[in-house]
Amino acid sequence: MSFISSLRPGGRHGLSSRETRDPIGLAVAAVNRLAQSELIDRVGLRKQAEHAVYSTTRNGFRVATAAGRTFARAGRRTAGARPANAPSRGVFDLTPTDDEAMLLDVVRELATEVLRPAASAADEACAPPAEVLAAAQDVGLPSLGVPEELGGIMEERSATAGALVAEALAQGDMGLAVATLAPGAVATAIGLWGTEAQQQTYLPAFTGDGAGPGVPVAALTLAEPTVLFDPFDLATTALRDGDGFVLDGVKSAVVRGAEAELFVVAATLDGTPALFLVESGADGLEVEADPSMGIRAAGLSRLHLTGVRVGADALLGDTDGAAYTECVRLSRLAWCALAVGTGQAVLDYVKDYVNGREAFGEPISHRQSVAFMVADMAIEVQAMRLLTWKAASRATRGQDFAREVGLARQLCTEKGMRIGLDGVQLLGGHGFVKEHPVERWYRDLRAVGVMEGAVLV
């Protein structure tokens, strides 16, 4: 039995909350939906449909955000429930727990049977297929970081589980991994820093207990389209206005921004970075297509905020920057895990290729220059993994992990790009063409050092 057939029915497949969008937005949604239909295969229009999706996304659009569902307001503005930190085992042991191991088995199967086969078409279309998103929802990825008492699936805080899941998904495809993890990043942020009212308002939709057509599309938006972007020097501003705030600025690398119903927006408040919950129906929000060199399957876009007014209850976390700083670190940790997974995918693919490719009567892996390059890749992947897991382990136990995540990010940025480059080199001319996935993984790995936000563990 395949992975898809073993899942229960569900997931978002309709336009639902996007019905009020203008004609351009509906056109983009329509061609994306068409490209995901099995009908076009039966009538022989697959190539034409994919070309329409690619052209529409490449040429860009700028539309009002989706109207979004109505999130029911509830509770008071008091401290929300916080997931408990995992206890220390007293020894240096990065072995996954039994629960993490079982979760990892499911996610690996998802990556192998669902993400990997869909990756090439999703990269061309600059959008994740509906069946991939539905499968991720059915295995509970959106509620992975939500505490069990709030409807999640984990008894205690586990950045380690999040890192393991991100790594496993990225072995299928980094772009699709980002697309499937993005809603869970928002749910995790609300679980970590949200007030009781915010948790009661938004988390039921992510855990399957709320009204509406499935888990909402949501995006964590930290990055901005500026040269040498510094997440602690934001151009987006939040000004106090009466009993609320007014947001102005532009955010980039917004995952599935045209469909998103809820955003976590980073903005400077009184000189300090802070996080705000912004629903897609707010006046002054516009989305613009922003396809990139890599992780194209995540459907990246820009979010324009022009005089967006939100209430006092939209502030997520504190005003002293502590929550924001942790958010940046957890996001960087997630990108490290994605780099490890994609680096492992390159290594596995290249090993099989050099052992099977023959030149002068023997496999090219018998050449020392080739063998040493593959060995270096294996060493670098393992080093990246150990640093990432160590940082995740400290985060899981509630210990300071600033140094560890800084070291992991530096190594994953540098060695991740090198692994991608060496993978392309080892395939020779085949590394340059789309017949093999290594060129796509190389493009994806270059995102690790520049992406901020989008996902967290």
Side-chain angles (χ1 to χ4, degrees):
M1 179 182 294
S2 69
F3 180 82
I4 286 291
S5 63
S6 67
L7 296 175
R8 63 181 184 277
R12 299 186 63 197
H13 302 285
L15 292 177
S16 61
S17 60
R18 291 186 285 165
E19 293 173 351
T20 60
R21 191 175 305 170
D22 68 14
I24 297 177
L26 289 173
V28 173
V31 294
N32 271 304
R33 185 124 187 250
L34 173 63
Q36 297 162 2
S37 171
E38 296 180 358
L39 175 63
I40 60 175
D41 288 319
R42 293 198 293 268
V43 298
L45 294 178
R46 166 61 60 185
K47 290 187 179 295
Q48 295 91 321
E50 288 181 350
H51 178 72
V53 174
Y54 173 74
S55 298
T56 303
T57 308
R58 180 194 61 194
N59 295 334
F61 62 88
R62 184 166 173 176
V63 299
T65 52
R69 73 187 73 199
T70 300
F71 292 95
R73 305 294 176 184
R76 301 168 295 168
R77 186 172 175 78
T78 57
R82 300 288 182 261
N85 295 321
S88 175
R89 304 180 196 178
V91 294
F92 183 76
D93 183 10
L94 300 180
T95 305
T97 65
D98 291 341
D99 288 343
E100 291 168 348
M102 287 190 293
L103 174 64
L104 198 54
D105 288 341
V106 175
V107 175
R108 282 173 176 160
E109 190 175 358
L110 172 67
T112 301
E113 296 195 17
V114 182
L115 270 65
R116 181 70 68 90
S120 180
D123 183 78
E124 287 290 331
C126 291
E131 57 269 22
V132 171
L133 300 174
Q137 178 178 330
D138 285 336
V139 299
L141 292 187
S143 60
L144 178 62
V146 180
E148 189 177 44
E149 61 185 293
L150 297 175
I153 62 176
M154 302 297 287
E155 293 184 4
E156 56 191 21
R157 170 87 176 108
S158 182
T160 301
L164 291 172
V165 166
E167 179 184 328
L169 288 174
Q171 290 188 48
D173 181 69
M174 185 185 287
L176 289 176
V178 171
T180 56
L181 291 171
V186 173
T188 299
I190 296 173
L192 287 174
W193 308 301
T195 64
E196 182 182 6
Q198 290 167 338
Q199 291 178 349
Q200 292 179 359
T201 299
Y202 297 107
L203 289 185
F206 291 94
T207 59
D209 297 328
V215 172
V217 182
L220 172 66
T221 66
L222 304 187
E224 296 175 348
T226 57
V227 178
L228 300 177
F229 169 69
D230 180 356
F232 295 98
D233 185 19
L234 300 172
T236 303
T237 59
L239 300 178
R240 297 183 186 275
D241 182 63
D243 60 348
F245 307 93
V246 176
L247 306 180
D248 288 278
V250 181
K251 311 304 289 187
S252 61
V254 181
V255 179
R256 300 176 65 201
E259 306 166 73
E261 300 170 82
L262 180 65
F263 302 95
V264 173
V265 177
T268 299
L269 174 65
D270 300 331
T272 303
L275 301 171
F276 296 87
L277 291 165
V278 181
E279 296 180 18
S280 59
D283 294 333
L285 286 181
E286 286 187 325
V287 174
E288 178 183 8
D290 191 24
S292 60
M293 171 184 175
I295 55 173
R296 293 168 62 84
L300 300 183
S301 57
R302 292 189 182 185
L303 180 66
H304 297 260
L305 302 99
T306 307
V308 177
R309 188 178 300 274
V310 295
D313 58 350
L315 178 65
L316 180 63
D318 49 56
T319 57
D320 62 7
Y324 180 80
T325 299
E326 186 179 7
C327 178
V328 171
R329 290 172 180 167
L330 290 173
S331 175
R332 289 176 173 177
L333 181 55
W335 282 103
C336 289
L338 291 169
V340 174
T342 304
Q344 185 67 56
V346 175
L347 176 61
D348 292 342
Y349 195 92
V350 164
K351 283 194 301 183
D352 290 341
Y353 182 88
V354 298
N355 284 326
R357 180 79 169 177
E358 292 191 359
F360 304 105
E362 63 180 355
I364 62 174
S365 60
H366 290 183
R367 306 288 175 176
Q368 281 190 341
S369 59
V370 172
F372 287 175
M373 190 178 293
V374 175
D376 286 343
M377 292 170 64
I379 293 169
E380 289 158 0
V381 168
Q382 188 64 6
M384 290 161 55
R385 177 176 288 113
L386 287 174
L387 270 179
T388 300
W389 283 17
K390 183 178 180 181
S393 177
R394 290 184 65 85
T396 296
R397 300 194 302 271
Q399 299 173 339
D400 179 54
F401 63 103
R403 177 179 179 273
E404 286 73 18
V405 79
L407 292 173
R409 188 170 193 255
Q410 177 62 32
L411 186 68
C412 291
T413 298
E414 178 183 346
K415 300 303 183 182
M417 288 192 293
R418 186 69 197 180
I419 289 169
L421 176 60
D422 286 349
V424 171
Q425 289 283 88
L426 285 167
L427 264 66
H430 286 163
F432 190 72
V433 298
K434 292 183 180 295
E435 178 184 354
H436 297 268
V438 178
E439 63 84 25
R440 184 179 71 250
W441 293 334
Y442 171 55
R443 290 187 283 110
D444 290 345
L445 283 166
R446 297 194 67 88
V448 177
V450 298
M451 290 292 290
E452 297 282 3
V455 291
L456 58 81
V457 295

